[in-house]
Amino acid sequence: MPVVPVIANAPESRYDIHIRRGLLHDCAHLFAAYKGKKAAVVADSNTAPLYSYALMDQLHRAGIEPSVIILPAGEETKCAAQLERLYDAFLDFRLTRADLVIALGGGVVGDITGYAAATFMRGVHFIQVPTTLLAQVDSSVGGKVAINHPRGKNLLGAFYQPELVLIDTDTLKTLDDRQIGAGLGEVIKYGCICDSALFERIEALGSRESLLPVIDEIIARCCEIKAEYVRQDPHDHGVRMQLNFGHTLAHALENAMGYGTLLHGEAVSIGMAAACRWGEALGYTPPGTAQRVTRVLEAYSLMTGYPAGLSPDMLAGQMALDKKAEGSKVRTVLLTGIGACRAVPLTPQELLISLNGGNP
Ligand code: GLY
């Protein structure tokens, strides 16, 4: 079974990502190290009926009493009211600092549960059990946890690393095509920014049907890449920024269209294709890269063009509000080849020119 180590902050804070089909039915031994006798399992209305029974069974086998807390599925759940519900449930369950909090779900469940675990009694043991492809290759690893504020996404958060990540790739069988596509957008991103061999493999596989049988290996490679970024830059002050390739436009699209209209990974796909075009127009990205990246994204049934009805002016305005803005410039990750990138501060004028396909 692939086990990918993550070392954030210091070697003593190492944790492991275990990746295997059927892991949810055979993970009791991985809980043996915990002295606590209780686990609050936070799921959502999709994941609770599918996976909480298997996880509870494994916890019972490890001598740990579980309690399942079910949140509504969807981005709106990442709010202060649901966070308070979690704290109330932890208190009702008499959870202590020796006990465990486990996130069982996609990025929304992982983010809010991680934030609750980081803050409840100043921090309790936290385990991620991601069940979407996007959460398995990205959000469950690296410790970014958060809730949204009415004025913006992820505005209240922390860096709080999990102590264990359990990826049962059988959970992908219950995802719909859009969710798989959203995860594949992030997978292709890793190839684009730092691993040309991964990109070429995905390019050669050429379709979801060919890739899904080897998804365990692909997930393991993505986790290795993410772990290396986290090791180098656990608090996102430098190189970790590269993981935001495609995100400048993606966040603007998500804002402009309303959260949930596009899945995050779908917006990232459009953002990556656009960033390649901008990179070429501005002279940072070798000619032909946009066409190659776009062809791969489209082979995996991902969108690459701007959705109809959104004006370049409006999108440029949205991008200027990006969290990564520096003064009047927006740091945007551009490819300098397949498997290589750099963050470039772009002015609103350059963003607008880029959105207009290089024409002022
Ligand atoms: N999802 C990007 C990061 O963890 O930095």
Side-chain angles (χ1 to χ4, degrees):
M1 130 160 75
V3 177
V4 178
V6 188
I7 299 172
N9 308 317
E12 334 48 283
S13 66
R14 168 188 162 141
Y15 58 93
D16 287 333
I17 308 167
H18 296 257
I19 305 163
R20 182 158 54 85
R21 286 171 200 249
L23 183 60
L24 266 171
H25 297 274
D26 181 20
C27 56
H29 58 289
L30 297 172
F31 302 123
Y34 290 96
K35 296 198 175 59
K37 288 282 159 260
K38 291 183 179 183
V41 176
V42 182
D44 70 18
S45 44
N46 293 329
T47 58
L50 291 169
Y51 308 120
S52 65
Y53 298 103
L55 185 57
M56 281 196 292
D57 180 49
Q58 294 298 307
L59 288 163
H60 279 304
R61 283 170 199 254
I64 296 173
E65 179 197 353
S67 169
V68 179
I69 303 154
I70 304 176
L71 299 172
E75 183 71 29
E76 305 72 47
T77 286
K78 273 175 59 173
C79 66
Q82 294 295 342
L83 181 68
E84 196 150 325
R85 264 195 64 206
L86 288 185
Y87 294 143
D88 283 340
F90 295 170
L91 289 166
D92 291 344
F93 189 40
R94 300 191 184 285
L95 202 76
T96 72
R97 293 193 68 194
D99 297 318
L100 273 174
V101 168
I102 304 180
L104 175 64
V108 167
V109 170
D111 280 9
I112 185 170
T113 306
Y115 191 61
T119 46
F120 186 73
M121 297 189 176
R122 297 202 181 92
V124 291
H125 300 295
F126 174 45
I127 293 178
Q128 287 266 22
V129 185
T131 57
T132 63
L133 181 57
L134 191 131
Q136 293 175 352
V137 297
D138 182 25
S139 60
S140 66
V141 178
K144 282 190 179 175
V145 295
I147 60 167
N148 300 331
H149 184 273
R151 294 196 207 165
K153 202 170 142 84
N154 294 334
L155 287 184
L156 309 171
F159 286 95
Y160 194 67
Q161 302 292 337
E163 296 177 8
L164 191 60
V165 182
L166 304 180
I167 299 180
D168 181 343
T169 46
D170 273 345
T171 58
L172 301 180
K173 289 181 184 155
T174 57
L175 290 184
D176 64 27
D177 280 353
R178 281 190 71 191
Q179 292 278 359
I180 293 280
L184 288 174
E186 295 282 355
V187 169
I188 294 167
K189 178 192 79 179
Y190 286 117
C192 288
I193 60 172
C194 68
D195 188 344
S196 56
L198 176 64
F199 185 89
E200 281 158 18
R201 184 163 188 212
I202 296 166
E203 189 175 40
L205 285 165
S207 70
R208 294 186 187 199
E209 293 65 36
S210 309
L211 182 139
L212 286 174
V214 293
I215 194 72
D216 295 34
E217 289 166 46
I218 302 269
I219 291 171
R221 179 65 196 131
C222 293
C223 288
E224 279 172 1
I225 296 172
K226 178 87 191 248
E228 181 53 22
Y229 276 105
V230 172
R231 186 189 67 74
Q232 287 185 37
D233 183 15
H235 296 110
D236 201 9
H237 294 309
V239 70
R240 189 166 172 174
M241 159 86 196
Q242 293 182 357
L243 294 172
N244 284 323
F245 175 55
H247 284 58
T248 309
L249 180 63
H251 289 152
L253 288 170
E254 287 175 285
N255 260 326
M257 297 175 76
Y259 287 98
T261 311
L262 283 177
L263 297 177
H264 177 65
E266 294 174 324
V268 168
S269 171
I270 299 170
M272 289 192 291
C276 290
R277 296 193 296 271
W278 307 344
E280 286 189 21
L282 297 169
Y284 293 96
T285 303
T289 309
Q291 193 185 27
R292 190 170 169 202
V293 170
T294 301
R295 209 171 33 230
V296 170
L297 291 167
E298 290 180 353
Y300 286 87
S301 309
L302 285 158
M303 275 173 70
T304 54
Y306 303 133
L310 297 177
S311 77
D313 285 295
M314 190 252 260
L315 288 174
Q318 286 282 352
M319 287 194 284
L321 300 174
D322 196 275
K323 274 214 290 296
K324 304 289 183 296
E326 280 174 7
S328 63
K329 296 190 176 181
V330 179
R331 289 225 296 159
T332 306
V333 180
L334 300 176
L335 297 191
T336 52
I338 294 289
C341 65
R342 59 180 278 205
V344 180
L346 297 183
T347 61
Q349 187 60 17
E350 283 171 318
L351 288 171
L352 189 56
I353 292 173
S354 308
L355 283 164
N356 280 324
N359 304 314

